[in-house]
Amino acid sequence: EVQLQASGGGLVQAGGSLRLSCVASGLTFDEYAIGWFRQVPGKEREGVSCISSSDGSSTYYVDSVKGRFTTSRDNAENTVYLQMDSLKPEDTAVYFCAAGYGCYSWTEYDYWGQGTQVTVSS
């Protein structure tokens, strides 16, 4: 019933940019915070960013992406974006979006989408 679809991944050279999109359906979109996570094989899932519900006035980022990644939302389109600039090889991962009730914890997310692969080459 609730679906989140991440898209926009691809192969990019170091220093390049990608914009990921997360389109949600089956929920009252503007009531949910949306987080972005990433996972590399053999490593634990890592929280990347979170944008608060409603007008998205609050955003949070893991230290490693601060200044390079920006998350935003378009509630009219039920879409959250992750603009990724100055990409580094260590950003390579499968990126997931998830919906939760707030940006209070990386664990407080109820709905998850399928990931989109981001590969950054040297």
Side-chain angles (χ1 to χ4, degrees):
E1 189 170 67
V2 174
Q3 297 185 44
L4 291 88
Q5 181 64 55
S7 63
L11 175 63
V12 64
Q13 293 186 0
S17 297
L18 287 171
R19 188 177 75 162
L20 306 184
S21 298
C22 176
V23 180
S25 62
L27 51 75
T28 305
F29 183 73
D30 62 2
E31 294 181 353
Y32 285 84
I34 304 295
W36 286 96
F37 299 78
R38 62 189 181 186
Q39 189 165 29
V40 176
K43 294 186 177 180
E44 294 185 350
R45 186 175 60 203
E46 176 187 33
V48 175
S49 71
C50 184
I51 186 165
S52 62
S53 61
S54 189
D55 63 1
S57 60
S58 298
T59 56
Y60 306 87
Y61 303 91
V62 67
D63 286 345
S64 61
V65 309
K66 287 180 179 177
R68 300 189 298 118
F69 290 11
T70 304
T71 189
S72 60
R73 66 192 297 157
D74 184 345
N75 288 335
E77 298 294 332
N78 286 4
T79 302
V80 165
Y81 301 98
L82 184 66
Q83 177 68 43
M84 305 186 295
D85 298 319
S86 301
L87 282 162
K88 303 175 180 180
E90 51 262 46
D91 295 318
T92 295
V94 177
Y95 283 72
F96 303 85
C97 59
Y101 294 103
C103 297
Y104 312 111
S105 170
W106 294 123
T107 65
E108 297 178 357
Y109 295 86
D110 294 328
Y111 306 107
W112 293 80
Q114 295 297 113
T116 185
Q117 176 71 48
V118 171
T119 303
V120 184
S121 62
S122 301

